[in-house]
Amino acid sequence: MPDIHPRANGERVLADLNALRALGSYKTGVHKPTFSEPHKQSLDWLVRKLPEAGLTGAIDGIGNIVGTSTKLGPKLLAGSHLESQNYAGWLDGPLGVVYAIEAARVLNTDSSMKGAVEVAAWCDEEGHFGNFLGSRSYVGQVTEAEIDAARDRTSGRAMRDALTDMGLAGRARITAEPGRHVGYLEAHIEQGDTLESGKLAIGVVTSIVGIWQYRITFTGEQNHAGTTRMAVRKDAGLALAKFCVAIDERFPAACGPRTVWTTGRITLDPGAPSIIPGGAEMLFQIRDDDPAVIARLEELLRTMAVEASAKGPCTVKVEKIRTGAPAMMNAGIQDAIEGASKVLAGGRSIRMPSGAGHDAQMLATIMPAGMLFVPSIGGISHHWTENTADVDIVTGAQVFVDACRRILCSSAM
Ligand SMILES: [Zn+2]
């Protein structure tokens, strides 16, 4: 059967991505922190592009753009972010925005299509000033006080000052209109090597993992590193090291198939070469998309702390400092992406969770949400060498546009 559906224009997608790469370019990547000049230029670029897709929109009071359509019928929201990490890759963010504008150009201008794709660029997904400020603002979770307090983590610049410099001070913030959208779809580079190693083209995201973080503190006795006999030491640093090893030995029996855990920071008190540490602290993180797995691992962590304290010579305390619920992606949207992959990517797709956080997890709190991944060469991201083969970028765009079409068509019935 001939493919009669409207298709993405691969050359136009690549041209748009390269136009965005030219704004704030750094080696083969970009340096485009939130509210920097190249970020502002990228936002202005998107506002100028919106009319090509029959959309109108402007930058709102927190730096978000939501281009809206007056077309009748169901509306699908699609997008991602335009700022980057410092000195990082060109596709993390812009890929999802360009796919969204391409879907809108192809589908909104097709008179046989009911409904429209609306395009969003969420500000500060990369967390220069906070934690998903743009998408959280849209879903109604950001207070003015939070903006008052926000500062650039690199320069210390106040967010209020940055908004003033951008000409956005006093501008209203756009918030979601209940019932307006049938769902939200976001494309992103995988930032891992699952697709590349499996020779696959498309990742159909099933969930975005939750992140749980713990502070584990060890209390011993500070003393002289030369005169204190080994037998009587209470070395908190050594207790921490043993605990780290024990986690790696005991977690595998209790974890899920894709659980990951990390000790991201260790501090010794006082941290001097000639002093036995009297205190030690580790920041420990667990990621999984199944709260039951996390609950099991947390229970194990606490049991291990009790056991270690009982055995001595140091005491161990576990304190939970962050809980992030996983976000489940909508089943119908997953089916739409998979169906499009069968036709346009030879079925080279896999259902997989996202180990990284994305704006879609915020949108998922108020509407059905889904995500599509394309391969990352070498699994590299958050680095200027981040890249995806042109052929994979184009295949991803084809699948994305067709997935949008399928979602709108099933909603219009
Ligand atoms: Zn991103």
Side-chain angles (χ1 to χ4, degrees):
M1 195 180 87
D3 178 16
I4 44 141
H5 299 300
R7 297 275 290 264
N9 179 333
E11 276 171 27
R12 185 166 61 181
V13 167
L14 290 169
D16 283 351
L17 285 170
N18 279 298
L20 285 168
R21 168 150 70 171
L23 304 172
S25 64
Y26 172 77
K27 299 190 181 180
T28 59
V30 293
H31 177 57
K32 209 179 287 197
T34 303
F35 301 140
S36 62
E37 188 57 29
H39 180 221
K40 182 176 191 310
Q41 289 167 351
S42 302
L43 293 173
D44 290 340
W45 176 93
L46 180 61
V47 170
R48 286 197 307 273
K49 283 278 166 191
L50 293 175
E52 289 179 18
L55 300 171
T56 50
I59 309 171
D60 83 346
I62 200 163
N64 283 339
I65 296 170
V66 180
T68 55
S69 165
T70 54
K71 214 172 156 191
L72 294 175
K75 309 273 189 309
L76 175 67
L77 189 59
S80 192
H81 59 96
L82 288 174
E83 83 285 337
S84 76
Q85 286 286 344
N86 293 333
Y87 308 103
W90 67 301
L91 295 170
D92 179 354
L95 181 98
V97 174
V98 169
Y99 278 13
I101 191 83
E102 179 63 11
R105 278 187 298 226
V106 171
L107 301 174
N108 297 0
T109 55
D110 184 327
S111 55
S112 68
M113 276 291 303
K114 283 206 185 76
V117 173
E118 299 194 322
V119 175
W122 309 115
C123 195
D124 202 39
E125 190 274 345
E126 296 292 6
H128 291 274
F129 285 87
N131 176 25
F132 296 105
L133 279 171
S135 50
R136 273 201 302 121
S137 169
Y138 184 72
V139 303
Q141 289 183 16
V142 175
T143 61
E144 292 298 312
E146 186 174 353
I147 298 174
D148 289 343
R151 289 182 173 275
D152 186 313
R153 63 175 146 89
T154 307
S155 70
R157 179 165 68 144
M159 182 153 172
R160 288 291 179 200
D161 293 341
L163 287 168
T164 300
D165 295 346
M166 292 279 287
L168 300 175
R171 230 183 249 199
R173 289 191 271 142
I174 308 166
T175 49
E177 188 185 314
R180 180 178 181 88
H181 298 109
V182 296
Y184 173 73
L185 186 58
E186 177 168 355
H188 207 277
I189 51 167
E190 185 203 334
Q191 304 177 286
D193 68 353
T194 300
L195 296 177
E196 185 183 66
S197 62
K199 299 195 163 39
L200 298 165
I202 301 290
V204 182
V205 179
T206 51
S207 61
I208 299 172
V209 299
I211 302 175
W212 281 257
Q213 204 153 291
Y214 303 86
R215 179 183 294 115
I216 308 175
T217 46
F218 301 78
T219 309
E221 197 171 83
Q222 185 177 326
N223 213 332
H224 195 291
T227 59
T228 314
R229 287 184 298 115
M230 296 308 286
V232 299
R233 290 185 180 206
K234 294 180 181 176
D235 183 336
L238 182 62
L240 181 150
K242 286 181 175 172
F243 198 81
C244 265
V245 172
I247 287 173
D248 245 36
E249 283 168 351
R250 294 177 66 174
F251 266 39
C255 72
R258 300 189 70 116
T259 318
V260 290
W261 57 89
T262 308
T263 300
R265 197 175 78 189
I266 290 172
T267 34
L268 301 182
D269 180 30
S274 293
I275 302 175
I276 300 163
E281 177 190 289
M282 58 188 261
L283 294 184
F284 183 67
Q285 191 181 81
I286 311 173
R287 297 188 185 213
D288 201 282
D289 66 359
D290 184 350
V293 169
I294 298 287
R296 204 158 67 218
L297 292 175
E298 183 177 313
E299 177 73 31
L300 175 57
L301 200 62
R302 292 187 189 281
T303 302
M304 287 170 62
V306 170
E307 286 172 6
S309 296
K311 196 170 160 212
C314 299
T315 56
V316 186
K317 193 179 90 191
V318 174
E319 179 193 355
K320 181 154 58 180
I321 52 176
R322 175 178 170 184
T323 307
M328 306 316 286
M329 299 291 101
N330 177 267
I333 295 181
Q334 291 179 45
D335 290 344
I337 301 168
E338 196 164 66
S341 301
K342 282 207 176 92
V343 178
L344 296 163
R348 290 175 298 131
S349 70
I350 186 174
R351 295 197 182 214
M352 61 185 290
S354 171
H358 294 289
D359 289 310
Q361 74 199 61
M362 295 305 151
L363 276 298
T365 64
I366 59 162
M367 65 177 86
M371 284 195 80
L372 172 162
F373 281 164
V374 298
S376 293
I377 295 173
I380 292 168
S381 185
H382 285 185
H383 188 266
W384 59 267
T385 56
E386 163 198 296
N387 206 0
T388 297
D390 282 0
V391 62
D392 286 334
I393 292 176
V394 172
T395 301
Q398 306 286 11
V399 171
F400 187 86
V401 172
D402 196 52
C404 289
R405 182 189 66 76
R406 287 163 187 257
I407 295 163
L408 285 174
C409 287
S410 65
S411 305
M413 283 188 299

